[in-house]
Structures are given as C-alpha cells and as structure tokens.
C-alpha cells in the first residue's frame, strides 16, 4: 500500500497549531500518583474459587467416565390432516407454475368522471365569494358603533331571597347525628368596639346596596377594534 501524500494528510487548525508550538512545559504541575489496592470481598473469593474449580474439572475430565449410549431414531409419519394440507399446497404450487397467460381475458377499463352536484357548486361559490370579500375588504366601510353597557344590581328583595335559599339549603343537608348533648350556660357578652365597628360597616354596605340608585351610574362608551386578517391568514385560507 502506497504512503499517503502530504495533501491527503488531515490538516490541523492554525489556532490549535500555534497553541501547540508555543506551549511551555513549565506550565505543567507535578502530581503524585496514589495507588489504591482494593482487596476482594468474601463473595468475590468464593465466586473465583468456584470458577477455578469448574475450569479444573473441565480440564481434568476423563473421557473414560463417559458411557456408551445408543441413539434411537423415531420416524413420525404424518397423519391424514397433514397429508391433506400438503396435497392442497402442492396442487396450488403446480397450478401457479403451470398457469398460462393466454387464459386471461381482455378487459377495458371504464373511467368515470364524477361531476359535482348543485350543493357542492353552491358551497364552492360561497367559499370563493367569502375569500374575495376578505381580500377586497376596506376598513373605510366600517361604521362607528356606540355600545351602552347596563349594570343591573340586585334589589333588596333578591338579596333577602338569596340569603333565605342559602340557609334553607344548609338546613336540608345538615346531619342531626352530628349534634352532641350540651348544657346551656347563659352568658351575656357585650360586643367589643371592633365588633361594633365591623357590624356598622356591614350594615352601611347593605344599606348602600339596598338603596343604590341606578341614576348614579355614569355613561361609558366602548370602542370596538376590528382586526383584519393578515396576508398569511388569507394565503392559508386560499390553500385550504
């Protein structure tokens, strides 16, 4: 085999070549190598001993210990089912091998063109009109619409009915077996200043909701923004 030429040799990167040429061995650090001897465990010694005993037993095995054995060959004849299947298989193979193409008949293939029905034509026309309408849509055709938002607050009667329904639902699902006999001790506990302030705030909130006037609501105008389809969306719609 001829030696490779210089141009066929692998090229080394200039940066790597420069680093190798300018490398100084003084930058290397002295390292002491520590050798560790790992002694085998009792399990390892036991397995190694068993392996060596097996090898010695194979190497020192004597052929004189083998006994003469006569091999009895049994011929299994096929049953009626096997013979029948084999006969069918051979008949099939002979039929394929002896088949003559002259026995084939000439057949003319009739190609049928299925025209779309009226419903398909109508849907395709609507789809094309929709695409043309989107492509030729002009934002100047949009009209300004002012939306009036109405906030309907619950009345005092609705709040009262809701509270009664919640209490009735809790009473229906209550399990009386959870009750425990207790001795009633009557204690008169006066509310603290914080409890009075919380109750006052709660009552003021309820009065504010109950007596709320819709006339206090301010009129707001909602600006609707119409986002036109991008060119990419239109192309995807055409491709579909």
């Amino acid at each position: 085999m001829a030696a490779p030429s210089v141009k066929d040799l692998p090229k080394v990167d200039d940066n790597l070549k420069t680093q190798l040429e300018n490398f100084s061995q003084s930058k290397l650090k002295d390292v002491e190598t520590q050798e560790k001897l790992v002694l085998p465990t009792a399990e390892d010694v036991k397995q190694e001993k068993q392996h060596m005993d097996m090898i010695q037993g194979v190497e020192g095995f004597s052929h004189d210990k083998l006994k003469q054995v006569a091999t009895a060959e049994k011929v299994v004849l096929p049953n009626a089912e096997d013979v029948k299947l084999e006969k069918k298989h051979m008949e099939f193979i002979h039929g394929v091998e002896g088949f003559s193409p002259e026995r084939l008949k000439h057949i003319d293939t009739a190609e049928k063109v299925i025209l779309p029905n009226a419903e398909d034509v109508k849907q395709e026309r609507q789809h094309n009109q929709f695409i043309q309408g989107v492509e030729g849509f002009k934002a100047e055709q949009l009209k300004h619409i002012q939306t009036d938002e109405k906030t309907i607050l619950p009345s005092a009667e609705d709040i009262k009915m809701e509270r009664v329904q919640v209490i009735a639902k809790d009473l229906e699902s209550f399990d009386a077996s959870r009750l425990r006999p207790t001795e009633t001790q009557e204690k008169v506990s006066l509310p603290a200043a914080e409890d009075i302030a919380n109750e006052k705030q709660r009552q003021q909130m309820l009065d504010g909701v109950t007596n709320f006037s819709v006339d206090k609501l301010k009129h707001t105008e909602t600006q609707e923004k119409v986002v036109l389809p991008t060119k990419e969306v239109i192309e995807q719609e055409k491709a579909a």
Side-chain angles (χ1 to χ4, degrees), residues 162-212:
E162 182 70 20
R163 189 181 302 170
V164 171
Q165 291 177 1
V166 172
I167 295 173
K169 186 177 180 180
D170 293 339
L171 291 175
E172 290 176 358
S173 60
F174 182 74
D175 187 7
S177 62
R178 297 168 59 187
L179 296 175
R180 297 180 182 179
T182 58
E183 295 181 359
T184 305
Q185 295 180 358
E186 295 185 359
K187 293 183 180 181
V188 179
S189 301
L190 296 176
E194 184 178 357
D195 296 334
I196 295 173
N198 291 335
E199 182 64 25
K200 188 176 180 180
Q201 291 179 357
R202 179 175 172 275
Q203 189 62 37
Q204 289 177 356
M205 182 185 67
L206 291 176
D207 293 342
V209 174
T210 304
N211 301 324
F212 182 78

Side-chain angles (χ1 to χ4, degrees), residues 8 16 46 93 111 116 118 125 129 134 136 138 158-159 187 197 239:
D8 295 332
L16 178 61
K46 183 178 178 181
I93 293 177
E111 296 184 358
R125 185 181 300 169
Q129 290 176 356
V134 173
K138 295 182 180 179
D158 295 334
I159 296 174
K187 293 183 180 181

Side-chain angles (χ1 to χ4, degrees), residues 34-96:
Q34 296 179 358
E35 295 183 359
K36 295 183 180 180
L37 299 177
V38 181
L39 297 177
T41 61
E43 184 68 22
D44 297 335
V45 174
K46 183 178 178 181
Q47 292 180 358
E48 182 66 22
K49 187 176 180 182
Q50 291 177 354
H51 182 68
M52 293 302 297
D53 292 341
M54 182 186 68
I55 293 176
Q56 292 175 2
V58 174
E59 292 177 351
F61 182 76
S62 176
H63 296 284
D64 300 334
K65 297 179 181 180
L66 295 175
K67 296 180 180 180
Q68 184 70 26
V69 178
T71 303
E73 296 184 358
K74 294 183 179 180
V75 179
V76 180
L77 297 176
N79 54 25
E81 185 67 23
D82 296 334
V83 173
K84 185 177 180 181
L85 293 175
E86 182 66 20
K87 186 176 180 181
K88 287 183 178 180
H89 181 68
M90 294 303 297
E91 289 177 354
F92 174 76
I93 293 177
H94 292 324
V96 174

Side-chain angles (χ1 to χ4, degrees), residues 11-47:
K11 296 182 179 179
V12 182
D13 187 27
D14 295 337
N15 188 14
L16 178 61
K17 184 177 180 181
T18 304
Q19 292 180 2
L20 292 175
E21 292 176 351
N22 299 331
F23 181 75
S24 176
Q25 295 184 355
S26 60
K27 296 181 181 179
L28 297 175
K29 296 182 180 180
D30 188 19
V31 178
E32 295 181 0
T33 304
Q34 296 179 358
E35 295 183 359
K36 295 183 180 180
L37 299 177
V38 181
L39 297 177
T41 61
E43 184 68 22
D44 297 335
V45 174
K46 183 178 178 181
Q47 292 180 358

Side-chain angles (χ1 to χ4, degrees), residues 210-227:
T210 304
N211 301 324
F212 182 78
S213 176
V214 184
D215 299 333
K216 295 180 180 180
L217 295 175
K218 296 181 179 180
H219 179 70
T220 58
E221 293 183 0
T222 303
Q223 295 182 354
E224 295 186 355
K225 294 183 179 180
V226 179
V227 181

